[in-house]
Structure formats: structure tokens, C-alpha cells
Coordinates of all heavy atoms in Angstrom, one line a residue:
L808 N -102.0 -118.3 -79.2 CA -102.0 -119.6 -78.5 C -103.4 -120.2 -78.5 O -103.6 -121.4 -78.9 CB -101.5 -119.4 -77.1 CG -101.3 -120.6 -76.2 CD1 -100.3 -120.3 -75.2 CD2 -102.6 -121.0 -75.5
L809 N -104.4 -119.4 -78.2 CA -105.8 -119.9 -78.1 C -106.3 -120.3 -79.5 O -107.0 -121.4 -79.7 CB -106.7 -118.9 -77.5 CG -106.5 -118.5 -76.0 CD1 -107.3 -117.4 -75.5 CD2 -106.7 -119.8 -75.1
G810 N -106.0 -119.5 -80.5 CA -106.4 -119.8 -81.8 C -105.8 -121.1 -82.3 O -106.5 -121.9 -82.9
A811 N -104.6 -121.4 -82.1 CA -103.9 -122.6 -82.5 C -104.5 -123.8 -81.7 O -104.7 -124.9 -82.2 CB -102.4 -122.5 -82.4
M812 N -104.6 -123.6 -80.4 CA -105.1 -124.7 -79.6 C -106.5 -125.1 -80.0 O -106.8 -126.3 -80.1 CB -105.2 -124.2 -78.1 CG -105.6 -125.2 -77.1 SD -105.9 -124.6 -75.4 CE -107.5 -123.7 -75.7
I813 N -107.4 -124.1 -80.2 CA -108.8 -124.5 -80.6 C -108.8 -125.1 -82.0 O -109.5 -126.1 -82.2 CB -109.6 -123.2 -80.5 CG1 -109.8 -122.8 -79.1 CG2 -111.0 -123.5 -81.2 CD1 -110.4 -121.4 -78.9
T814 N -108.0 -124.6 -82.9 CA -107.9 -125.2 -84.2 C -107.5 -126.6 -84.2 O -108.0 -127.5 -84.9 CB -107.1 -124.3 -85.1 OG1 -107.5 -123.0 -85.2 CG2 -107.0 -124.9 -86.6
S815 N -106.4 -126.9 -83.5 CA -105.9 -128.2 -83.4 C -106.9 -129.1 -82.7 O -107.0 -130.3 -83.0 CB -104.5 -128.2 -82.7 OG -104.7 -127.9 -81.3
W816 N -107.6 -128.6 -81.7 CA -108.6 -129.4 -81.0 C -109.7 -129.8 -81.9 O -110.1 -131.0 -81.9 CB -109.2 -128.5 -79.9 CG -109.8 -129.2 -78.7 CD1 -110.2 -130.5 -78.6 CD2 -109.9 -128.7 -77.4 NE1 -110.7 -130.8 -77.4 CE2 -110.5 -129.7 -76.6 CE3 -109.6 -127.5 -76.8 CZ2 -110.8 -129.6 -75.3 CZ3 -109.9 -127.3 -75.4 CH2 -110.5 -128.4 -74.7
I817 N -110.1 -128.9 -82.8 CA -111.2 -129.2 -83.7 C -110.7 -130.2 -84.8 O -111.4 -131.2 -85.1 CB -111.7 -127.9 -84.5 CG1 -112.4 -127.0 -83.4 CG2 -112.6 -128.3 -85.6 CD1 -112.7 -125.7 -83.9
K818 N -109.5 -130.0 -85.3 CA -108.9 -130.8 -86.4 C -108.5 -132.3 -85.9 O -108.7 -133.2 -86.6 CB -107.7 -130.2 -87.0 CG -108.1 -129.0 -87.9 CD -106.8 -128.4 -88.6 CE -106.3 -129.4 -89.6 NZ -107.2 -129.6 -90.7
Y819 N -107.9 -132.4 -84.7 CA -107.4 -133.6 -84.3 C -108.1 -134.3 -83.1 O -107.8 -135.4 -82.7 CB -105.9 -133.4 -83.8 CG -105.1 -132.6 -84.8 CD1 -104.3 -131.5 -84.4 CD2 -105.1 -132.9 -86.2 CE1 -103.5 -130.8 -85.3 CE2 -104.3 -132.2 -87.1 CZ -103.5 -131.1 -86.6 OH -102.8 -130.4 -87.5
G820 N -109.1 -133.6 -82.6 CA -109.9 -134.1 -81.5 C -109.2 -133.9 -80.1 O -109.9 -134.2 -79.1
K821 N -108.0 -133.4 -80.1 CA -107.3 -133.1 -78.9 C -106.5 -131.8 -79.1 O -106.1 -131.5 -80.2 CB -106.3 -134.2 -78.5 CG -106.9 -135.6 -78.3 CD -107.6 -135.7 -77.0 CE -108.1 -137.1 -76.7 NZ -108.8 -137.2 -75.5
P822 N -106.4 -131.0 -78.0 CA -105.6 -129.7 -78.1 C -104.1 -130.1 -78.2 O -103.5 -130.5 -77.2 CB -105.9 -128.9 -76.9 CG -106.4 -130.0 -75.9 CD -107.0 -131.1 -76.7
D823 N -103.5 -130.0 -79.3 CA -102.1 -130.4 -79.6 C -101.1 -129.4 -78.9 O -101.2 -128.2 -79.1 CB -101.9 -130.4 -81.0 CG -100.5 -131.0 -81.4 OD1 -100.3 -132.2 -81.5 OD2 -99.5 -130.2 -81.6
I824 N -100.2 -130.0 -78.2 CA -99.2 -129.1 -77.4 C -98.3 -128.4 -78.4 O -98.0 -127.2 -78.2 CB -98.4 -130.0 -76.4 CG1 -99.3 -130.6 -75.4 CG2 -97.4 -129.1 -75.7 CD1 -98.6 -131.6 -74.5
S825 N -97.7 -129.1 -79.3 CA -96.8 -128.4 -80.2 C -97.4 -127.3 -81.1 O -96.8 -126.3 -81.3 CB -96.1 -129.5 -81.1 OG -97.0 -130.1 -81.9
M826 N -98.6 -127.6 -81.5 CA -99.4 -126.6 -82.3 C -99.7 -125.4 -81.4 O -99.6 -124.2 -81.8 CB -100.6 -127.1 -82.9 CG -100.4 -128.1 -84.0 SD -99.7 -127.2 -85.5 CE -99.8 -128.5 -86.7
T827 N -100.0 -125.6 -80.1 CA -100.3 -124.5 -79.2 C -99.1 -123.7 -78.9 O -99.2 -122.4 -78.9 CB -100.8 -125.1 -77.9 OG1 -102.0 -125.9 -78.1 CG2 -101.1 -124.0 -76.9
C828 N -97.9 -124.3 -78.8 CA -96.7 -123.6 -78.7 C -96.4 -122.7 -79.9 O -96.1 -121.5 -79.7 CB -95.5 -124.6 -78.4 SG -95.5 -125.3 -76.8
N829 N -96.6 -123.3 -81.1 CA -96.4 -122.5 -82.3 C -97.4 -121.4 -82.4 O -97.1 -120.3 -83.0 CB -96.4 -123.4 -83.5 CG -95.0 -124.0 -83.8 OD1 -94.0 -123.4 -83.4 ND2 -95.0 -125.2 -84.4
G830 N -98.6 -121.6 -81.9 CA -99.6 -120.6 -82.0 C -99.2 -119.4 -81.2 O -99.5 -118.2 -81.6
A831 N -98.7 -119.5 -80.0 CA -98.2 -118.4 -79.2 C -97.1 -117.6 -80.0 O -97.2 -116.4 -80.1 CB -97.6 -118.8 -77.9
L832 N -96.2 -118.3 -80.6 CA -95.2 -117.6 -81.4 C -95.8 -117.0 -82.6 O -95.4 -115.9 -83.0 CB -94.1 -118.6 -81.8 CG -93.3 -119.3 -80.7 CD1 -92.3 -120.3 -81.2 CD2 -92.7 -118.3 -79.8
A833 N -96.8 -117.6 -83.2 CA -97.4 -117.0 -84.4 C -98.1 -115.7 -84.0 O -98.0 -114.7 -84.8 CB -98.5 -118.0 -85.0
G834 N -98.8 -115.7 -82.9 CA -99.4 -114.4 -82.4 C -98.4 -113.3 -82.2 O -98.6 -112.1 -82.5
L835 N -97.2 -113.7 -81.6 CA -96.2 -112.7 -81.4 C -95.6 -112.2 -82.6 O -95.3 -111.0 -82.8 CB -95.1 -113.3 -80.4 CG -95.6 -113.6 -79.0 CD1 -94.6 -114.6 -78.3 CD2 -95.8 -112.4 -78.2
V836 N -95.3 -113.1 -83.6 CA -94.8 -112.7 -84.9 C -95.8 -111.8 -85.6 O -95.4 -110.8 -86.2 CB -94.5 -113.9 -85.7 CG1 -94.1 -113.5 -87.2 CG2 -93.3 -114.7 -85.2
G837 N -97.1 -112.2 -85.5 CA -98.1 -111.4 -86.2 C -98.3 -110.0 -85.8 O -98.6 -109.1 -86.6
I838 N -98.1 -109.7 -84.5 CA -98.3 -108.4 -83.9 C -97.0 -107.5 -84.1 O -97.1 -106.3 -83.9 CB -98.7 -108.4 -82.5 CG1 -99.3 -107.1 -82.0 CG2 -97.5 -108.8 -81.6 CD1 -100.5 -106.6 -82.8
T839 N -95.9 -108.1 -84.5 CA -94.6 -107.3 -84.4 C -94.6 -106.2 -85.4 O -94.1 -105.1 -85.0 CB -93.5 -108.3 -84.7 OG1 -93.4 -109.3 -83.6 CG2 -92.2 -107.6 -84.8
A840 N -95.2 -106.3 -86.5 CA -95.3 -105.1 -87.5 C -96.1 -104.0 -87.0 O -95.7 -102.8 -87.1 CB -95.8 -105.6 -88.9
G841 N -97.3 -104.3 -86.4 CA -98.2 -103.2 -86.1 C -98.3 -102.9 -84.6 O -99.2 -102.3 -84.2
C842 N -97.3 -103.4 -83.8 CA -97.4 -103.3 -82.4 C -97.5 -101.8 -81.9 O -98.0 -101.6 -80.7 CB -96.3 -104.0 -81.7 SG -94.6 -103.4 -82.1
A843 N -97.1 -100.8 -82.7 CA -97.1 -99.4 -82.2 C -98.3 -98.7 -82.8 O -98.5 -97.6 -82.5 CB -95.8 -98.7 -82.6
T844 N -99.1 -99.4 -83.7 CA -100.2 -98.6 -84.4 C -101.5 -99.3 -84.3 O -102.4 -98.9 -85.0 CB -99.7 -98.4 -85.8 OG1 -99.4 -99.6 -86.4 CG2 -98.5 -97.4 -85.9
V845 N -101.7 -100.4 -83.5 CA -103.0 -101.0 -83.4 C -103.5 -101.0 -82.0 O -102.7 -100.8 -81.1 CB -103.0 -102.5 -83.9 CG1 -102.4 -102.6 -85.4 CG2 -102.1 -103.4 -83.0
S846 N -104.8 -101.2 -81.9 CA -105.4 -101.1 -80.5 C -105.3 -102.5 -79.9 O -105.0 -103.5 -80.6 CB -106.9 -100.7 -80.7 OG -107.6 -101.8 -81.3

């Protein structure tokens, strides 16, 4: 969520809500493979 929010803020000048929402989902999708084996 924070990664997408900051990236959209830098790119568009404002923290985009839709990108922030997708950022949260992106982080959840990204950790799904390694959730049992990463710190």
C-alpha cells in the first residue's frame, strides 16, 4: 500500500486512491508464495 501510494504521489503529484488500493493487493499477492519461508 505504501509503495504504491508513494509512487503515485511522485508520478501524479497526488497520492492516488485507486493505485493505493491496488498496492495493498499487490503486496498481498506478492507475499503469498513465500509467506511461510521469509522473515
Side-chain angles (χ1 to χ4, degrees):
L808 185 152
L809 294 174
M812 182 189 74
I813 293 169
T814 302
S815 68
W816 205 336
I817 293 171
K818 286 184 68 66
Y819 312 131
K821 300 286 185 181
D823 185 87
I824 299 173
S825 62
M826 288 294 188
T827 300
C828 287
N829 273 334
L832 299 180
L835 293 165
V836 170
I838 197 58
T839 295
C842 59
T844 55
V845 303
S846 69

